[in-house]
Amino acid sequence: GCLVSIGLCRNRLPRPPPGPRGIWKEDMIVANLDQVLVVFACADPMPHLRMVDRFLVVAEHNEVEAVLVANKVDLVGLAAAHQIFAGYEAIGYPVHYLSAREGIGVEELDDRLVGRVSVVTGPSGVGKSTLLNAIQPGLRIETGEVSEALHKGRHTTTSAELHALTAPGGGYVADTPGLRELGLWQVPPDQLAWCFPEFREHLGNCGFNDCRHLSEPRCAVLAAVAAGSISEARYDSYRRLLLNED
């Protein structure tokens, strides 16, 4: 289950190994990444957007390009799927709407993988293994059903594996274990705001150099939230992550 890095390590995507919260240490999933595909389902399980934000923050902190993959679009329809994830498109994140099970939209995602090293991540039960099997037929990665009772996926991938793509142009894709929760142990609080791309143009414009963007006077980020250029939902994610709230 150990991944071998390709070439020089440009960046890395850590994850918390199993253990008591608060004493996790970095466990490298894959090094030398070009992009991370953050996979969430449009339904079954319903997407938790604050968890989407957590995955994106980790990608931003590690300076890895993040691509959102909205899977199971067949369960809700394209219009409803767009409504769920439109805010991320407005920020500038690429969003691919697809159904890995039905084969809808997979080819468009394939084009983004050519010649690149990609990692597929996201919470359990969203269809990561099904997506990988659709991208690279023949992988036969074990897939698990989503628990009807709890609507939480069983962990079916137990170790990260790097797969060479056979399509013209090549590339590599890694799958990761489903993560029950994503710790932000490696993002210093004073760097968290930078990990929200829509905050960046406002950083440095606050009245105080050490502004935490919580309740300080003359805060440029709070002013942007009030003006509508930063969404209240994304700001709420920032505040909760900064204060370590669920």
Side-chain angles (χ1 to χ4, degrees), residues 69-81:
V69 177
N71 193 22
K72 305 188 185 182
V73 71
D74 55 304
L75 298 182
V76 299
L78 192 56

Side-chain angles (χ1 to χ4, degrees), residues 83-146:
Q83 194 168 12
I84 295 170
F85 294 99
Y88 296 103
E89 291 186 274
I91 294 166
Y93 286 108
V95 183
H96 284 260
Y97 297 90
L98 54 83
S99 170
R101 188 178 59 185
E102 302 294 331
I104 300 168
V106 176
E107 287 186 8
E108 290 82 354
L109 183 61
D110 286 347
D111 293 340
R112 187 176 286 278
L113 304 178
V114 173
R116 309 185 80 188
V117 179
S118 310
V119 68
V120 176
T121 191
S124 298
V126 297
K128 298 186 298 293
S129 295
T130 305
L131 176 61
L132 281 159
N133 285 323
I135 291 169
Q136 181 72 26
L139 285 181
R140 294 187 298 278
I141 297 170
E142 181 188 355
T143 59
E145 295 300 318
V146 175

Side-chain angles (χ1 to χ4, degrees), residues 2-242:
C2 180
L3 278 177
V4 178
S5 302
I6 301 170
L8 296 174
C9 177
R10 290 199 304 273
N11 46 45
R12 57 191 184 171
L13 189 70
R15 71 175 172 90
R21 187 171 184 177
I23 62 169
W24 285 330
K25 295 181 180 179
E26 289 189 5
D27 176 19
M28 291 306 109
I29 292 176
V30 65
N32 199 41
L33 283 177
D34 291 310
Q35 62 186 349
V36 56
L37 307 183
V38 178
V39 184
F40 274 76
C42 297
D44 195 26
M46 290 296 293
H48 189 320
L49 297 187
R50 282 207 302 276
M51 182 62 73
V52 175
D53 293 336
R54 290 187 184 196
F55 277 92
L56 295 177
V57 160
V58 170
E60 294 290 347
H61 182 66
N62 285 275
E63 298 184 353
V64 184
E65 180 184 354
V67 178
L68 267 173
V69 177
N71 193 22
K72 305 188 185 182
V73 71
D74 55 304
L75 298 182
V76 299
L78 192 56
H82 274 284
Q83 194 168 12
I84 295 170
F85 294 99
Y88 296 103
E89 291 186 274
I91 294 166
Y93 286 108
V95 183
H96 284 260
Y97 297 90
L98 54 83
S99 170
R101 188 178 59 185
E102 302 294 331
I104 300 168
V106 176
E107 287 186 8
E108 290 82 354
L109 183 61
D110 286 347
D111 293 340
R112 187 176 286 278
L113 304 178
V114 173
R116 309 185 80 188
V117 179
S118 310
V119 68
V120 176
T121 191
S124 298
V126 297
K128 298 186 298 293
S129 295
T130 305
L131 176 61
L132 281 159
N133 285 323
I135 291 169
Q136 181 72 26
L139 285 181
R140 294 187 298 278
I141 297 170
E142 181 188 355
T143 59
E145 295 300 318
V146 175
S147 164
E148 290 296 329
L150 298 176
H151 283 270
K152 293 181 179 178
R154 299 189 185 98
H155 291 244
T156 55
T157 309
T158 55
S159 62
E161 295 180 308
L162 196 63
H163 306 284
L165 299 177
T166 57
Y172 292 86
V173 64
D175 65 310
T176 65
L179 305 183
R180 292 182 191 275
E181 86 183 280
L182 197 68
L184 286 175
W185 69 103
Q186 80 284 28
V187 182
D190 62 347
Q191 295 179 28
L192 181 62
W194 186 88
C195 296
F196 287 73
E198 70 273 35
F199 287 22
R200 291 173 189 167
E201 64 181 286
H202 307 289
L203 301 179
N205 296 330
C206 298
F208 296 93
N209 289 335
D210 59 350
C211 187
R212 298 175 74 206
H213 322 298
L214 292 176
S215 59
E216 296 88 344
R218 303 193 307 283
C219 172
V221 170
L222 289 172
V225 175
S229 56
I230 293 175
S231 79
E232 291 186 9
R234 286 276 288 176
Y235 174 75
D236 187 54
S237 276
Y238 165 79
R239 185 184 62 79
R240 287 171 180 267
L241 290 173
L242 185 68

